[in-house]
Structure formats: structure tokens, C-alpha cells
Amino acid sequence: RVLSLELNKDRDVERIHGSGVNTLDIEPVEGRYMLSGGSDGVIVLYDLENLSRKPSYTCKALCSVGRSHPDVHRYSVETVQWYPHDTGMFTSSSFDKTLKIWDTNTLQPADVFHFEGTVYCHHMSPVATKHCLIAVGTKSPKVQLCDLKSGSCSHILQGHRQEVLAVSWSPRHEYILATASADSRVKLWDVRRASGCLSTLDQHNGEKSKSSSEAANTAHNGRVNGLCYTNDGLHLLTVGTDDRMRLWNSSTGENTLVNYGKVCNESRKGLKFAVSCGCNPEFAFVPYSSTIAVYTVFTGELITMLRGHYSTVNCCVLQPNFQELYSGSKDCNILAWIPALRDPVPDDISEKSPPQQHLNPAYEDAWSSSDEEG
């Protein structure tokens, strides 16, 4: 299904945003409701389900926190995230220096956290049962941990030298957090430890640092502005403004040295990309200028470029139940990429066909679909 993703002519996402779409999130409970956050501070909630059952439909916006809402963010919303355990709550953070906790039913903020600097990103653990910490990356090099239970933001992780552009909790260990900064570094933390930092990822795996102290322990040769764990939490993908993507073993901190080629990245802030779920091989979906590049995670092969947006793509998110992809762009649009429905093979042919026909489609060219060109 992932290999046959294409822009779906039959599915639209209702256009509400009057400016760029920076962030998307689909709730993990049913995989039915999607949030979007825009450069104008607006947040929109969509229902992705096709209630009409017609082949062509538009994903309707159920409600929004619009410009006239008393609690709307004053500046660009950079991150939205559903509360991982139910859809009654979601979170948003913004360049207006706040993180807001929303009650979905009333669209009122249940809590607001204020920071000294611009907020670039935040994340809640998808697996935590023993804590309710939200990790927040801001203009300050200190990573803040806000506790939903107590309402305090007292816990701080110190170690970065510049602003923190991306944060991500491990989907495997509830106390492990990865952070990425403009200081070219990616750090892994155990938030229970007083010293905090477990390791700083080194692109050279310790080999270069002997000769030059300057380049020691940098993950990228530029700002690191994107992080994404694989679903099992065993690996971590990072992207940086050095136009590189790297895959790390998250338990050893080792650079696996997978080469993805040039991964064009001109974003001055966080870049939100996605990894497939339950596929073999696994894929990464990465905004690449006005397209989305699809790579195989473990071999680095560029499988295809999804073209459809008119301007820079800021974010993409996967709906894992159906392997559907949604992307948000500076062009104000949210696009739905749905697996193409192929004609079923007639039974009499499939029985006679030799077994080597069933090659893993990742290793053949599935993209010259001639039925679309005519």
C-alpha cells in the first residue's frame, strides 16, 4: 500500500487555513480525527472518516480555534498533538511563547504554560503510564519538562548550547527523550537521572574526535531540526540543514551510516516527518522542498517523490491503519495520499504464475504506473 501512494483525486481535506500549515497530528486511539496548526495561529480539527460512503468525499472540519476565538494563539502554531490516551484533550505550542492544553469538547484551554522564548516544539510520550511530562523545546538551550498532573514546569534538562528545534520521547522506554538543537547536536536523556544526558550522538562514531575537538559529538554539520523514532523505538532518524538524514541505533547511539543522499532541508525551524508502521521494509516520508521524498529506512533508497503541493511542505503524518499519508504545506493546503486501488489479478493467471513474481515490491520499480499516464 505504501508503494502505491498517490495523490487521491477523490479525497479532499476541507480548506480552512488562510496561511501555511505547519503541523498535523492524527489521534492514535481510532486514527479518525486529525489536528492541524497554521502560521496564523489557527487550529483545525478534522474528521477523516467517510461518513457518506461515497467514493468522492471531503474530510470535514468539525471545529476550529479561529482568529476570533478568545484563546487563539497570537502567532504561528508550530506543533499540535493529541493526548495519547483519549481524544478529549489535545495540546498546541506556538511562537507566542505558550503551550496550551485544550479540552476538545469545549475548545477551551484547560491549562496554559508560558515560556521566556519562542516555542519550537513539544511532545508527549505515546507510551508513558507513570508520568505526564510534556517535553518542550524553545529559543532557550534548556529543555523544559511540563508536568500535566501538577501544572508545574520546574524540571529542566541542561546541555544544549542553542535553541531546541525538535523533541521526541521514545516509543519504547517512557523515560527516554531525544532532543535536537541548532547547536548541531542530538542528545538522549533519561529524565529520571539528575545528570540527565545519557549520550550525545556523534556522526563519526568517536573516530574523528581524537584529532579535532571542534567537531566532536555533532550529529549533523548544521542545525538539527527533525527527529523521528522508528515504531519499535530501536532506531532514531534525524534531519539537519546539512541536507542529510541519519539513522542511529537508539540504544548504542551509533550512527548506522545509511546513506540517503541529499535530503534537501532549508527549514529555519522544526521539520516534521514520519515513519511507516508495520511495513517491511520500513519507509520514511520526508518533506523535501515542495514534494515528499519516500525512502527505505534501512537501505537509504529513494523510492519516489510525491508531487502535488505548490510550495514548501512543512509536515507529514501517517494514518497507520490504512497506510494513508497527509501533508501540510506553505500553500495552505492539506493533501491526502492514498494507496492506489489496483485492478485485481484474474484467478486463472495468478495460479499459473511462477513464485518469483512475488518479489518484495520495494525492490522493483512500482512507479511507472502506465494506467495513469493515458
Side-chain angles (χ1 to χ4, degrees), residues 296-347:
T296 48
V297 170
F298 294 105
T299 62
E301 189 186 350
L302 175 62
I303 298 290
T304 187
M305 306 284 268
L306 301 176
R307 302 177 197 280
H309 282 290
Y310 301 114
S311 184
T312 309
V313 178
N314 293 322
C315 55
C316 53
V317 64
L318 195 76
Q319 205 289 18
N321 309 357
F322 304 115
Q323 305 292 353
E324 298 168 348
L325 187 75
Y326 292 85
S327 58
S329 159
K330 205 168 162 182
D331 64 14
C332 311
N333 289 321
I334 298 170
L335 298 183
W337 309 84
I338 314 288
L341 295 171
R342 297 274 176 253
D343 295 333
V345 180
D347 287 347

CSV table of all heavy atoms in Angstrom, one decimal, residues 296-347:
chain,number,residue,atom,x,y,z
A,296,THR,N,13.5,4.1,1.8
A,296,THR,CA,13.5,2.9,2.7
A,296,THR,C,14.5,3.2,3.9
A,296,THR,O,15.6,3.7,3.7
A,296,THR,CB,14.0,1.7,2.0
A,296,THR,OG1,15.2,2.0,1.3
A,296,THR,CG2,13.0,1.2,1.0
A,297,VAL,N,14.0,3.0,5.1
A,297,VAL,CA,14.7,3.5,6.3
A,297,VAL,C,16.1,2.8,6.4
A,297,VAL,O,17.1,3.4,6.7
A,297,VAL,CB,13.9,3.2,7.5
A,297,VAL,CG1,14.7,3.4,8.8
A,297,VAL,CG2,12.7,4.1,7.6
A,298,PHE,N,16.2,1.5,6.1
A,298,PHE,CA,17.4,0.8,6.5
A,298,PHE,C,18.4,0.6,5.3
A,298,PHE,O,19.5,0.2,5.5
A,298,PHE,CB,17.1,-0.6,7.1
A,298,PHE,CG,16.4,-0.5,8.4
A,298,PHE,CD1,15.0,-0.7,8.5
A,298,PHE,CD2,17.1,-0.1,9.5
A,298,PHE,CE1,14.3,-0.6,9.7
A,298,PHE,CE2,16.4,0.1,10.7
A,298,PHE,CZ,15.1,-0.2,10.8
A,299,THR,N,17.9,0.9,4.1
A,299,THR,CA,18.9,0.8,2.9
A,299,THR,C,19.1,2.2,2.3
A,299,THR,O,20.1,2.4,1.6
A,299,THR,CB,18.3,-0.1,1.8
A,299,THR,OG1,17.1,0.5,1.3
A,299,THR,CG2,18.1,-1.5,2.3
A,300,GLY,N,18.3,3.2,2.7
A,300,GLY,CA,18.5,4.6,2.2
A,300,GLY,C,18.1,4.8,0.8
A,300,GLY,O,18.4,5.9,0.2
A,301,GLU,N,17.4,3.9,0.2
A,301,GLU,CA,16.9,4.1,-1.2
A,301,GLU,C,15.8,5.1,-1.3
A,301,GLU,O,14.8,5.0,-0.5
A,301,GLU,CB,16.5,2.7,-1.7
A,301,GLU,CG,16.2,2.6,-3.2
A,301,GLU,CD,15.6,1.3,-3.6
A,301,GLU,OE1,15.6,0.4,-2.8
A,301,GLU,OE2,15.2,1.2,-4.7
A,302,LEU,N,15.9,6.0,-2.3
A,302,LEU,CA,14.8,6.9,-2.6
A,302,LEU,C,13.8,6.2,-3.5
A,302,LEU,O,14.1,5.9,-4.6
A,302,LEU,CB,15.4,8.2,-3.3
A,302,LEU,CG,14.3,9.2,-3.7
A,302,LEU,CD1,13.5,9.7,-2.5
A,302,LEU,CD2,15.0,10.3,-4.5
A,303,ILE,N,12.6,5.9,-2.9
A,303,ILE,CA,11.6,5.1,-3.7
A,303,ILE,C,10.9,6.0,-4.6
A,303,ILE,O,10.7,5.7,-5.8
A,303,ILE,CB,10.7,4.5,-2.7
A,303,ILE,CG1,11.4,3.5,-1.8
A,303,ILE,CG2,9.6,3.7,-3.4
A,303,ILE,CD1,11.9,2.3,-2.5
A,304,THR,N,10.4,7.2,-4.2
A,304,THR,CA,9.7,8.1,-5.0
A,304,THR,C,9.6,9.5,-4.4
A,304,THR,O,10.0,9.6,-3.3
A,304,THR,CB,8.2,7.5,-5.2
A,304,THR,OG1,7.6,8.4,-6.2
A,304,THR,CG2,7.4,7.6,-4.0
A,305,MET,N,9.1,10.4,-5.2
A,305,MET,CA,8.8,11.8,-4.7
A,305,MET,C,7.3,12.0,-5.0
A,305,MET,O,6.9,11.8,-6.1
A,305,MET,CB,9.6,12.8,-5.5
A,305,MET,CG,11.1,12.6,-5.5
A,305,MET,SD,11.9,13.0,-4.0
A,305,MET,CE,12.3,14.7,-4.3
A,306,LEU,N,6.6,12.4,-3.9
A,306,LEU,CA,5.2,12.6,-4.0
A,306,LEU,C,5.0,14.1,-4.4
A,306,LEU,O,5.3,15.0,-3.6
A,306,LEU,CB,4.5,12.3,-2.7
A,306,LEU,CG,4.6,10.8,-2.3
A,306,LEU,CD1,3.9,10.6,-0.9
A,306,LEU,CD2,4.0,9.8,-3.3
A,307,ARG,N,4.5,14.4,-5.6
A,307,ARG,CA,4.3,15.8,-6.0
A,307,ARG,C,2.9,16.2,-6.1
A,307,ARG,O,2.0,15.4,-6.5
A,307,ARG,CB,4.9,15.9,-7.5
A,307,ARG,CG,6.4,15.5,-7.5
A,307,ARG,CD,6.9,15.6,-9.0
A,307,ARG,NE,8.2,14.8,-9.1
A,307,ARG,CZ,9.3,15.3,-8.6
A,307,ARG,NH1,9.4,16.5,-8.2
A,307,ARG,NH2,10.4,14.5,-8.7
A,308,GLY,N,2.6,17.4,-5.6
A,308,GLY,CA,1.2,17.8,-5.6
A,308,GLY,C,1.1,19.2,-4.9
A,308,GLY,O,0.2,20.0,-5.2
A,309,HIS,N,2.0,19.5,-4.0
A,309,HIS,CA,1.9,20.8,-3.3
A,309,HIS,C,2.5,21.9,-4.3
A,309,HIS,O,3.4,21.6,-5.1
A,309,HIS,CB,2.6,20.8,-2.0
A,309,HIS,CG,1.9,20.2,-0.9
A,309,HIS,ND1,0.7,20.7,-0.3
A,309,HIS,CD2,2.0,19.0,-0.2
A,309,HIS,CE1,0.3,20.0,0.6
A,309,HIS,NE2,1.0,18.9,0.7
A,310,TYR,N,2.1,23.1,-4.0
A,310,TYR,CA,2.6,24.3,-4.8
A,310,TYR,C,3.8,25.0,-4.1
A,310,TYR,O,4.4,25.8,-4.7
A,310,TYR,CB,1.5,25.3,-5.1
A,310,TYR,CG,0.4,24.7,-5.9
A,310,TYR,CD1,-0.9,24.6,-5.3
A,310,TYR,CD2,0.5,24.2,-7.2
A,310,TYR,CE1,-1.9,24.0,-5.9
A,310,TYR,CE2,-0.5,23.6,-7.8
A,310,TYR,CZ,-1.8,23.5,-7.2
A,310,TYR,OH,-2.8,23.0,-7.9
A,311,SER,N,4.0,24.7,-2.9
A,311,SER,CA,5.0,25.4,-2.1
A,311,SER,C,5.6,24.4,-1.1
A,311,SER,O,5.2,23.3,-1.0
A,311,SER,CB,4.3,26.6,-1.4
A,311,SER,OG,5.3,27.4,-0.8
A,312,THR,N,6.5,25.0,-0.3
A,312,THR,CA,7.2,24.2,0.7
A,312,THR,C,6.3,23.3,1.6
A,312,THR,O,5.4,23.8,2.1
A,312,THR,CB,8.0,25.1,1.7
A,312,THR,OG1,8.8,26.0,0.8
A,312,THR,CG2,9.0,24.3,2.5
A,313,VAL,N,6.7,22.0,1.7
A,313,VAL,CA,5.9,21.1,2.6
A,313,VAL,C,6.6,21.2,4.0
A,313,VAL,O,7.8,21.1,4.1
A,313,VAL,CB,6.0,19.6,2.1
A,313,VAL,CG1,5.3,18.7,3.0
A,313,VAL,CG2,5.4,19.5,0.7
A,314,ASN,N,5.7,21.4,5.0
A,314,ASN,CA,6.2,21.6,6.3
A,314,ASN,C,6.1,20.4,7.2
A,314,ASN,O,6.9,20.2,8.2
A,314,ASN,CB,5.5,22.7,7.0
A,314,ASN,CG,5.7,24.1,6.4
A,314,ASN,OD1,6.9,24.4,6.0
A,314,ASN,ND2,4.7,24.9,6.3
A,315,CYS,N,5.2,19.5,6.9
A,315,CYS,CA,4.9,18.4,7.8
A,315,CYS,C,4.2,17.3,7.0
A,315,CYS,O,3.5,17.5,6.1
A,315,CYS,CB,4.0,18.9,9.0
A,315,CYS,SG,2.5,19.6,8.4
A,316,CYS,N,4.3,16.1,7.5
A,316,CYS,CA,3.5,15.0,7.0
A,316,CYS,C,3.3,14.0,8.2
A,316,CYS,O,4.1,13.9,9.1
A,316,CYS,CB,4.1,14.3,5.8
A,316,CYS,SG,5.8,13.7,6.0
A,317,VAL,N,2.1,13.3,8.1
A,317,VAL,CA,1.8,12.4,9.2
A,317,VAL,C,1.1,11.2,8.5
A,317,VAL,O,0.4,11.3,7.5
A,317,VAL,CB,0.8,13.1,10.2
A,317,VAL,CG1,-0.5,13.5,9.5
A,317,VAL,CG2,0.6,12.3,11.4
A,318,LEU,N,1.3,10.0,9.1
A,318,LEU,CA,0.8,8.8,8.6
A,318,LEU,C,-0.4,8.3,9.4
A,318,LEU,O,-0.4,8.3,10.6
A,318,LEU,CB,1.9,7.7,8.6
A,318,LEU,CG,1.7,6.5,7.8
A,318,LEU,CD1,1.9,6.8,6.3
A,318,LEU,CD2,2.6,5.3,8.2
A,319,GLN,N,-1.4,7.8,8.6
A,319,GLN,CA,-2.5,7.1,9.3
A,319,GLN,C,-2.2,5.7,9.1
A,319,GLN,O,-2.4,5.1,8.1
A,319,GLN,CB,-3.8,7.5,8.5
A,319,GLN,CG,-5.1,7.4,9.3
A,319,GLN,CD,-5.5,6.0,9.6
A,319,GLN,OE1,-4.7,5.1,9.6
A,319,GLN,NE2,-6.7,5.8,10.0
A,320,PRO,N,-1.8,5.0,10.2
A,320,PRO,CA,-1.2,3.7,10.1
A,320,PRO,C,-2.2,2.6,9.8
A,320,PRO,O,-1.8,1.6,9.1
A,320,PRO,CB,-0.5,3.4,11.4
A,320,PRO,CG,-1.1,4.4,12.4
A,320,PRO,CD,-1.7,5.5,11.6
A,321,ASN,N,-3.4,2.7,10.2
A,321,ASN,CA,-4.4,1.6,9.9
A,321,ASN,C,-4.6,1.4,8.5
A,321,ASN,O,-4.8,0.2,8.0
A,321,ASN,CB,-5.8,2.0,10.5
A,321,ASN,CG,-5.7,2.4,12.0
A,321,ASN,OD1,-4.6,2.4,12.6
A,321,ASN,ND2,-6.8,2.8,12.6
A,322,PHE,N,-4.6,2.5,7.7
A,322,PHE,CA,-4.8,2.3,6.2
A,322,PHE,C,-3.6,2.7,5.4
A,322,PHE,O,-3.6,2.8,4.2
A,322,PHE,CB,-6.0,3.2,5.8
A,322,PHE,CG,-7.2,2.9,6.5
A,322,PHE,CD1,-7.8,3.9,7.4
A,322,PHE,CD2,-7.8,1.7,6.5
A,322,PHE,CE1,-9.0,3.6,8.1
A,322,PHE,CE2,-9.0,1.4,7.2
A,322,PHE,CZ,-9.6,2.4,8.0
A,323,GLN,N,-2.4,3.0,6.1
A,323,GLN,CA,-1.2,3.4,5.4
A,323,GLN,C,-1.5,4.6,4.5
A,323,GLN,O,-1.1,4.6,3.3
A,323,GLN,CB,-0.6,2.3,4.6
A,323,GLN,CG,-0.2,1.0,5.4
A,323,GLN,CD,0.9,1.2,6.4
A,323,GLN,OE1,1.5,2.2,6.4
A,323,GLN,NE2,1.1,0.2,7.2
A,324,GLU,N,-2.2,5.6,5.0
A,324,GLU,CA,-2.5,6.8,4.3
A,324,GLU,C,-1.6,7.9,4.8
A,324,GLU,O,-1.3,7.9,6.0
A,324,GLU,CB,-4.0,7.2,4.4
A,324,GLU,CG,-4.9,6.2,3.9
A,324,GLU,CD,-6.4,6.5,4.3
A,324,GLU,OE1,-6.6,7.3,5.2
A,324,GLU,OE2,-7.3,5.8,3.7
A,325,LEU,N,-1.2,8.8,3.9
A,325,LEU,CA,-0.3,9.9,4.3
A,325,LEU,C,-1.1,11.3,4.2
A,325,LEU,O,-1.8,11.4,3.2
A,325,LEU,CB,0.9,9.9,3.5
A,325,LEU,CG,2.1,10.8,3.8
A,325,LEU,CD1,2.8,10.3,5.1
A,325,LEU,CD2,3.0,10.9,2.7
A,326,TYR,N,-0.9,12.2,5.1
A,326,TYR,CA,-1.4,13.5,5.0
A,326,TYR,C,-0.3,14.5,5.1
A,326,TYR,O,0.6,14.3,5.9
A,326,TYR,CB,-2.5,13.8,6.0
A,326,TYR,CG,-3.7,13.0,5.9
A,326,TYR,CD1,-3.8,11.7,6.3
A,326,TYR,CD2,-4.8,13.5,5.2
A,326,TYR,CE1,-5.0,10.9,6.1
A,326,TYR,CE2,-6.0,12.8,5.0
A,326,TYR,CZ,-6.0,11.5,5.4
A,326,TYR,OH,-7.2,10.7,5.2
A,327,SER,N,-0.3,15.5,4.3
A,327,SER,CA,0.8,16.5,4.3
A,327,SER,C,0.3,17.9,4.3
A,327,SER,O,-0.8,18.2,3.8
A,327,SER,CB,1.7,16.3,3.1
A,327,SER,OG,1.0,16.5,1.9
A,328,GLY,N,1.0,18.8,5.0
A,328,GLY,CA,0.6,20.2,5.2
A,328,GLY,C,1.7,21.1,4.6
A,328,GLY,O,2.9,20.8,4.7
A,329,SER,N,1.3,22.2,3.9
A,329,SER,CA,2.3,23.0,3.2
A,329,SER,C,2.1,24.5,3.4
A,329,SER,O,1.0,24.9,3.9
A,329,SER,CB,2.2,22.6,1.7
A,329,SER,OG,2.7,23.6,0.9
A,330,LYS,N,3.1,25.2,3.0
A,330,LYS,CA,3.0,26.7,3.0
A,330,LYS,C,1.9,27.2,2.0
A,330,LYS,O,1.5,28.3,2.1
A,330,LYS,CB,4.4,27.2,2.5
A,330,LYS,CG,4.7,28.6,3.0
A,330,LYS,CD,6.2,28.8,2.7
A,330,LYS,CE,6.6,30.3,2.7
A,330,LYS,NZ,8.0,30.5,2.4
A,331,ASP,N,1.5,26.3,1.1
A,331,ASP,CA,0.4,26.7,0.1
A,331,ASP,C,-1.0,26.6,0.7
A,331,ASP,O,-2.0,26.8,0.0
A,331,ASP,CB,0.5,25.8,-1.1
A,331,ASP,CG,0.2,24.3,-0.8
A,331,ASP,OD1,-0.3,24.0,0.3
A,331,ASP,OD2,0.5,23.5,-1.7
A,332,CYS,N,-1.1,26.5,2.1
A,332,CYS,CA,-2.3,26.5,2.8
A,332,CYS,C,-3.1,25.2,2.7
A,332,CYS,O,-4.2,25.0,3.3
A,332,CYS,CB,-3.2,27.6,2.5
A,332,CYS,SG,-2.4,29.2,2.5
A,333,ASN,N,-2.6,24.2,1.9
A,333,ASN,CA,-3.4,23.0,1.6
A,333,ASN,C,-2.9,21.9,2.5
A,333,ASN,O,-1.7,21.8,2.8
A,333,ASN,CB,-3.3,22.6,0.2
A,333,ASN,CG,-4.0,23.5,-0.8
A,333,ASN,OD1,-5.1,24.0,-0.4
A,333,ASN,ND2,-3.4,23.8,-1.9
A,334,ILE,N,-3.9,21.0,2.8
A,334,ILE,CA,-3.5,19.7,3.4
A,334,ILE,C,-3.9,18.6,2.3
A,334,ILE,O,-5.1,18.6,1.8
A,334,ILE,CB,-4.3,19.4,4.6
A,334,ILE,CG1,-4.0,20.4,5.7
A,334,ILE,CG2,-4.1,18.0,5.2
A,334,ILE,CD1,-4.8,20.4,6.9
A,335,LEU,N,-3.0,17.8,1.9
A,335,LEU,CA,-3.3,16.8,0.8
A,335,LEU,C,-3.3,15.4,1.4
A,335,LEU,O,-2.6,15.1,2.4
A,335,LEU,CB,-2.2,16.9,-0.3
A,335,LEU,CG,-2.1,18.2,-1.0
A,335,LEU,CD1,-1.1,18.1,-2.2
A,335,LEU,CD2,-3.4,18.6,-1.6
A,336,ALA,N,-4.2,14.6,0.8
A,336,ALA,CA,-4.3,13.2,1.2
A,336,ALA,C,-3.7,12.3,0.2
A,336,ALA,O,-4.0,12.4,-1.0
A,336,ALA,CB,-5.8,12.8,1.4
A,337,TRP,N,-2.7,11.4,0.6
A,337,TRP,CA,-2.1,10.5,-0.3
A,337,TRP,C,-2.5,9.1,0.1
A,337,TRP,O,-2.3,8.6,1.2
A,337,TRP,CB,-0.6,10.6,-0.2
A,337,TRP,CG,-0.1,12.0,-0.3
A,337,TRP,CD1,0.0,12.9,0.7
A,337,TRP,CD2,0.4,12.7,-1.4
A,337,TRP,NE1,0.5,14.1,0.2
A,337,TRP,CE2,0.8,14.0,-1.1
A,337,TRP,CE3,0.6,12.3,-2.8
A,337,TRP,CZ2,1.3,14.9,-2.0
A,337,TRP,CZ3,1.1,13.2,-3.7
A,337,TRP,CH2,1.5,14.5,-3.3
A,338,ILE,N,-3.3,8.5,-0.8
A,338,ILE,CA,-4.0,7.2,-0.5
A,338,ILE,C,-3.4,6.1,-1.5
A,338,ILE,O,-3.1,6.4,-2.6
A,338,ILE,CB,-5.5,7.4,-0.8
A,338,ILE,CG1,-6.0,8.7,-0.2
A,338,ILE,CG2,-6.3,6.2,-0.3
A,338,ILE,CD1,-6.1,8.7,1.3
A,339,PRO,N,-3.2,4.9,-1.0
A,339,PRO,CA,-2.8,3.8,-1.9
A,339,PRO,C,-3.7,3.7,-3.1
A,339,PRO,O,-5.0,3.7,-2.9
A,339,PRO,CB,-2.8,2.6,-1.0
A,339,PRO,CG,-2.7,3.1,0.4
A,339,PRO,CD,-3.4,4.4,0.4
A,340,ALA,N,-3.2,3.6,-4.3
A,340,ALA,CA,-4.0,3.5,-5.5
A,340,ALA,C,-4.6,2.1,-5.5
A,340,ALA,O,-4.0,1.1,-5.1
A,340,ALA,CB,-3.1,3.6,-6.7
A,341,LEU,N,-5.9,2.0,-5.9
A,341,LEU,CA,-6.5,0.7,-6.0
A,341,LEU,C,-6.2,0.1,-7.3
A,341,LEU,O,-6.5,0.6,-8.4
A,341,LEU,CB,-8.0,0.9,-5.9
A,341,LEU,CG,-8.5,1.4,-4.5
A,341,LEU,CD1,-10.0,1.7,-4.5
A,341,LEU,CD2,-8.3,0.3,-3.4
A,342,ARG,N,-5.4,-1.0,-7.3
A,342,ARG,CA,-5.0,-1.7,-8.5
A,342,ARG,C,-6.1,-2.7,-8.9
A,342,ARG,O,-6.8,-3.2,-8.0
A,342,ARG,CB,-3.7,-2.5,-8.3
A,342,ARG,CG,-2.6,-1.5,-8.0
A,342,ARG,CD,-1.9,-1.0,-9.2
A,342,ARG,NE,-0.9,-0.1,-8.9
A,342,ARG,CZ,-1.0,1.2,-9.1
A,342,ARG,NH1,-2.1,1.7,-9.6
A,342,ARG,NH2,0.0,2.0,-8.8
A,343,ASP,N,-6.3,-3.0,-10.2
A,343,ASP,CA,-7.2,-4.0,-10.6
A,343,ASP,C,-6.8,-5.3,-10.1
A,343,ASP,O,-5.6,-5.7,-10.2
A,343,ASP,CB,-7.3,-4.0,-12.1
A,343,ASP,CG,-7.8,-2.7,-12.7
A,343,ASP,OD1,-8.6,-2.0,-12.0
A,343,ASP,OD2,-7.5,-2.4,-13.8
A,344,PRO,N,-7.7,-6.1,-9.6
A,344,PRO,CA,-7.3,-7.4,-9.0
A,344,PRO,C,-6.9,-8.3,-10.2
A,344,PRO,O,-7.4,-8.2,-11.3
A,344,PRO,CB,-8.6,-8.0,-8.4
A,344,PRO,CG,-9.7,-7.1,-9.0
A,344,PRO,CD,-9.2,-5.8,-9.4
A,345,VAL,N,-5.9,-9.2,-9.9
A,345,VAL,CA,-5.4,-10.1,-10.9
A,345,VAL,C,-6.5,-11.3,-11.1
A,345,VAL,O,-6.9,-11.8,-10.1
A,345,VAL,CB,-4.1,-10.7,-10.4
A,345,VAL,CG1,-3.5,-11.7,-11.5
A,345,VAL,CG2,-3.1,-9.6,-10.2
A,346,PRO,N,-6.8,-11.6,-12.3
A,346,PRO,CA,-7.8,-12.7,-12.5
A,346,PRO,C,-7.2,-14.0,-11.9
A,346,PRO,O,-6.0,-14.3,-12.0
A,346,PRO,CB,-7.9,-12.8,-14.0
A,346,PRO,CG,-7.5,-11.5,-14.6
A,346,PRO,CD,-6.5,-11.0,-13.6
A,347,ASP,N,-8.1,-14.9,-11.3
A,347,ASP,CA,-7.6,-16.0,-10.6
A,347,ASP,C,-6.8,-17.0,-11.5
A,347,ASP,O,-5.8,-17.5,-11.0
A,347,ASP,CB,-8.8,-16.8,-10.0
A,347,ASP,CG,-9.4,-16.1,-8.9
A,347,ASP,OD1,-8.8,-15.2,-8.4
A,347,ASP,OD2,-10.5,-16.4,-8.5
